[in-house]
Amino acid sequence: MRELVTYSASVTVVYHLCYCVLQDGADSHRISPSPVVHVRGLCESVVEADLIDALEKFGPICYVMMMPFKRQALVEFSAVDSADRCVSCGATEPVYIAGQQAHFNYSTSKRITRPTSADNPNMGNKVLLLSIQNPLYPITTDVLYTVCNPIGSVLRIVIFKRNGIQAMPTRLNVIKNDNESWDYTKPHLRRDRGKGRQRQAILGEHPSSYSENSYGQTCPLLPLPSNSRYKLSSVDVPDMVSYPLPQSSCSYSGHASSSVAMVSGLHPSKMNCTRIFNLFCLYGNIEKVKFMKSVPGTALVEMGDEYAVDRAITHLNSIKVFGKRLNVCVSKQHAVIPSQVFELEDGSSSYKDFAMTRNNRFSSAGQASKNIIQPPSAVLHYYNVPPCVSQDHLLRLCTEHDVPGFIKFKMFDAKPSSKTISGLLEFDNKTEAVEVLTVLNHYQIRIPNGSNPYTLKLCFSTSSHL
């Protein structure tokens, strides 16, 4: 794990003007080879460490210069051969940086000019690199700020996790304020409410232990901690929220030390990132999902906070999905890094970012209070369905997606003015209900002459049978 901390200083950034041919293939060689590579098509959230992590396989990197708001960067390799491998590879196969395919060409410059005479060791660099090995507790921007600020005014902090680094930026590029990056000169960079990584647990502090027979009872009201900068305003968040105590479904009884869960035992052709989201979103917000290329049938799931991982382990560990038993445990990783993206057996991507999806169900205290933290059961609660959808329509939906059909159906009475309906579906057993939810949760139902589709939402019911 490495952290970059930048202190107060006036830094003049000099940008290179480089001309590149947009065509790939042979056109990329119209510019004479150079150790400096011009990178295009970057996502807005990319930082220097992402470029180094993705491109150091081509050779040692001397320097990286970001071009803010242009989604471009310059990368200087130590040798022309390394730059040539990068450009040639990018012309023949996709090269991903932070989960997005990038494009490469030689720069007209042979060397990146370091700003503020950075080559002069007497001038100093205002960015301090901290290497922290085997941390005993999560390292966040708050921790680093507390350590560093008494020595000098801290401007920005960026945390990234990797094995090595060959370049040092002279200015940190921060696009959001959260536990892994923070620009203290721009407090407005906070992410949208409820979208921050490792954000405050909306459901309050996790109970220290579970009572095996207490499901359905409501635990005491738990206060939301007031000493966090992530707490929402009193207008949007009640001081207290309550939620039912879950019934323990596995031997796990500890407290997760990470907001990332590792899931193994996944069916190779029937499970993908979206279906993992459909299942795990019942227990907390999902930030990212990534399948591990080196360990088939295994994925990392980054959730909104460590308490969501606790709930997922409690309820989903050891359940059967598509004939395979899931193993859900806490990952040693503290974040999911979009590297080694590949194609799954069903043709979908091995990595997907869900941070901004509207299907997350814990993005506000109001949303969270409506969720029932319920272990898998044979009865599913469905809602947000258009009134024109019938029992036969839902049965056909199950048949079309090759999942088991329900044996009993119940529709709740709706108000005449209601635009959607809800009800219950009972299946032969819990495993069938889990598979249907995994496949059909968030299915888009389109109706004739309708402008927008309805998103079918499913969750496990508190009822054991109809």
Side-chain angles (χ1 to χ4, degrees), residues 430-448:
K430 177 177 66 176
T431 299
E432 290 188 356
V434 169
E435 293 178 1
V436 171
L437 182 142
T438 301
V439 175
L440 295 182
N441 196 13
H442 306 122
Y443 177 78
Q444 300 288 295
I445 300 177
R446 300 185 180 275
I447 58 175

Side-chain angles (χ1 to χ4, degrees), residues 210 212 246-254 309-319 326-329 375-376 430:
Y210 296 145
E212 291 188 1
Q247 179 179 353
S248 178
S249 61
C250 68
S251 59
Y252 174 79
S253 60
V309 174
D310 276 343
R311 295 190 291 270
I313 293 174
T314 299
H315 296 305
L316 298 180
N317 186 47
S318 296
I319 68 169
L326 297 187
N327 179 35
V328 186
C329 62
K430 177 177 66 176

Side-chain angles (χ1 to χ4, degrees), residues 199-229:
R199 58 185 172 273
Q200 177 62 50
I202 290 178
L203 294 183
E205 293 297 333
H206 204 284
S208 58
S209 62
Y210 296 145
S211 172
E212 291 188 1
N213 298 315
S214 64
Y215 184 76
Q217 313 249 334
T218 302
C219 72
L221 293 174
L222 300 172
L224 288 171
S226 59
N227 60 347
S228 172
R229 64 179 175 226

Side-chain angles (χ1 to χ4, degrees), residues 58-332:
F58 300 114
I61 295 174
C62 298
Y63 200 81
V64 175
M65 174 180 284
M66 302 298 300
M67 298 182 182
F69 311 111
K70 293 185 178 181
R71 301 174 63 189
Q72 300 176 18
L74 294 176
V75 177
E76 181 181 329
F77 290 91
S78 61
V80 176
D81 291 344
S82 302
D84 186 62
R85 285 193 292 269
C86 177
V87 174
S88 299
C89 181
T92 57
E93 60 183 74
V95 176
Y96 293 91
I97 298 177
Q100 181 163 314
Q101 184 178 353
H103 305 281
F104 308 89
N105 208 329
Y106 296 112
S107 170
T108 55
S109 302
K110 303 300 180 182
R111 185 176 183 276
I112 299 176
T113 302
R114 278 59 164 171
T116 65
S117 302
D119 287 332
N120 184 354
N122 297 324
M123 294 296 294
N125 191 327
K126 305 304 179 184
V127 179
L128 180 65
L129 175 65
L130 307 178
S131 298
I132 302 175
Q133 298 180 355
N134 302 319
L136 299 179
Y137 52 87
I139 303 299
T140 66
T141 51
D142 284 339
V143 172
L144 295 178
Y145 185 86
T146 302
V147 172
C148 298
N149 198 58
I151 302 172
S153 179
V154 176
L155 291 183
R156 302 169 190 87
I157 297 176
V158 172
I159 298 175
F160 56 95
K161 303 170 181 67
R162 55 189 315 279
N163 296 325
I165 187 168
Q166 288 81 35
M168 279 293 297
T170 57
R171 186 183 188 279
L172 300 184
N173 180 29
V174 176
I175 56 93
K176 67 179 183 297
N177 290 341
D178 63 9
N179 271 13
E180 294 196 351
S181 64
W182 199 277
D183 190 334
Y184 296 92
T185 67
K186 298 179 180 179
H188 63 276
L189 286 181
R190 298 184 186 186
R191 296 182 72 179
D192 291 340
R193 181 174 300 148
K195 301 297 184 183
R197 181 182 297 161
Q198 294 273 72
R199 58 185 172 273
Q200 177 62 50
I202 290 178
L203 294 183
E205 293 297 333
H206 204 284
S208 58
S209 62
Y210 296 145
S211 172
E212 291 188 1
N213 298 315
S214 64
Y215 184 76
Q217 313 249 334
T218 302
C219 72
L221 293 174
L222 300 172
L224 288 171
S226 59
N227 60 347
S228 172
R229 64 179 175 226
Y230 304 109
K231 185 177 180 182
L232 308 182
S233 66
S234 58
V235 176
D236 301 312
V237 181
D239 290 334
M240 302 282 188
V241 292
S242 64
Y243 62 99
L245 285 169
Q247 179 179 353
S248 178
S249 61
C250 68
S251 59
Y252 174 79
S253 60
H255 171 59
S257 58
S258 167
S259 62
V260 179
M262 184 169 70
V263 188
S264 57
L266 297 168
H267 194 286
S269 62
K270 294 185 178 182
M271 290 298 287
N272 55 34
C273 295
T274 299
R275 291 183 175 182
I276 289 177
F277 173 86
N278 289 344
L279 181 59
F280 277 71
C281 72
L282 272 59
Y283 304 103
N285 280 354
I286 307 298
E287 297 284 334
K288 302 180 183 74
V289 178
K290 182 182 79 169
F291 279 76
M292 302 174 66
K293 191 172 185 178
S294 58
V295 188
T298 302
L300 297 177
V301 181
E302 182 178 344
M303 305 191 73
D305 50 57
E306 59 268 28
Y307 305 112
V309 174
D310 276 343
R311 295 190 291 270
I313 293 174
T314 299
H315 296 305
L316 298 180
N317 186 47
S318 296
I319 68 169
K320 271 194 171 183
V321 185
F322 302 121
K324 298 180 71 68
R325 193 171 298 278
L326 297 187
N327 179 35
V328 186
C329 62
V330 183
S331 171
K332 294 181 180 179

